Amino acid sequence: MKKTMFALATLGALASGSAMAQQAGNWVLGTGWFHLSPQDSSKPLTVTSPIPAVLPGSGASASDSDTLGLSAMYFLDSHWAVEGVFGVPPKFKLDGTGTLGRVGQLGEARQWSPTILGKYYFNEGNDAFRPYVGLGATYVWYSGVKLTSNLQGALASQFHQSPFAVNTTAKLDSSFAPVVNVGVAYQFDKHWGLSFSVSYIPLKTKARLTTTSVTGLPVATSEASLKLNPIVTYLAATYRF
């Protein structure tokens, strides 16, 4: 009788472990909190026309940002998985530094950066706790780029124009960037789990500014290069089916 009960208990434990196992064909959906922390640096603002010039000591710094994250992952086997990561585009504020520090906030923009990752999970598929590493790529572009009235005025002064006589618009370059990812996942039961990851994205962009008169005639163009290099943390509740 004791042997029978022991055998049943062993089978039950094995069945429970199998129920929690990650295996080929599993889908895992996640949603949670993204925190983006730029490790930024910049080059001075450079006038490219009509007369090339550099604004010495000028710079810019991007603020941290938080947003809602979404992810979908497919397990190729018990260790390898492919994940797509998305999110509500976070809004970054750009502040002046150096000789642009007196200007304060320079502008703002929303960043779009859908990401694809290949991930390797350590431990076995039926373990509740599993560290992982990932490597992938993202394509980054920007929308809602706006310059503050303070920067508009500073640029008008730089070009010896009245702030009411000119208007400056900006575009940020799009680019591909690699993504390095590490994290841990914990499975509470067959369906529900929790995941926490840290990603690093070596990312840079160039702001291209165009100043025109109120009648639309070109006055000047300028540009500034900015390295963002964000560290991105993602805490997510996950559901496997």
Side-chain angles (χ1 to χ4, degrees):
M1 183 65 177
K2 289 183 179 180
K3 290 183 178 180
T4 301
M5 293 183 67
F6 177 79
L8 290 173
T10 302
L11 287 173
L14 290 173
S16 174
S18 299
M20 291 180 63
Q22 273 111 7
Q23 55 191 352
N26 281 162
W27 280 94
V28 179
L29 301 182
T31 184
W33 168 64
F34 270 127
H35 179 73
L36 298 90
S37 180
Q39 312 299 301
D40 52 27
S41 62
S42 64
K43 292 183 178 180
L45 180 66
T46 302
V47 178
T48 53
S49 72
I51 302 174
V54 175
L55 187 59
S58 59
S61 179
S63 65
D64 288 10
S65 186
D66 297 278
T67 193
L68 175 69
L70 303 168
S71 56
M73 181 167 55
Y74 180 78
F75 273 87
L76 304 174
D77 59 25
S78 61
H79 291 284
W80 289 97
V82 178
E83 183 178 42
V85 185
F86 320 92
V88 176
K91 180 185 290 186
F92 288 95
K93 294 180 180 179
L94 203 62
D95 295 315
T97 61
T99 53
L100 281 178
R102 59 184 176 80
V103 177
Q105 185 178 330
L106 305 179
E108 62 182 31
R110 289 194 178 275
Q111 177 181 299
W112 302 71
S113 51
T115 300
I116 186 76
L117 291 168
K119 300 172 71 173
Y120 181 83
Y121 280 75
F122 297 96
N123 296 340
E124 298 305 318
N126 59 354
D127 289 336
F129 178 78
R130 304 193 70 187
Y132 58 81
V133 294
L135 184 64
T138 181
Y139 182 69
V140 181
W141 72 94
Y142 303 88
S143 65
V145 181
K146 297 179 181 178
L147 303 181
T148 64
S149 58
N150 286 350
L151 180 59
Q152 295 276 358
L155 290 171
S157 176
Q158 179 74 16
F159 303 134
H160 308 290
Q161 299 283 336
S162 164
F164 304 103
V166 294
N167 179 63
T168 301
T169 58
K171 297 181 70 175
L172 296 172
D173 286 353
S174 304
S175 64
F176 284 99
V179 180
V180 180
N181 174 260
V182 296
V184 293
Y186 187 85
Q187 199 69 29
F188 294 108
D189 58 27
K190 180 180 179 180
H191 295 294
W192 291 100
L194 193 66
S195 177
F196 177 76
S197 69
V198 179
S199 298
Y200 176 71
I201 308 173
L203 175 65
K204 59 183 179 180
T205 188
K206 182 175 286 186
R208 302 179 188 274
L209 287 70
T210 302
T211 303
T212 58
S213 68
V214 290
T215 58
L217 294 176
V219 173
T221 60
S222 50
E223 62 183 35
S225 296
L226 178 65
K227 288 185 179 180
L228 296 171
N229 298 345
I231 294 175
V232 184
T233 55
Y234 181 37
L235 178 63
T238 60
Y239 183 82
R240 185 181 65 196
F241 61 95

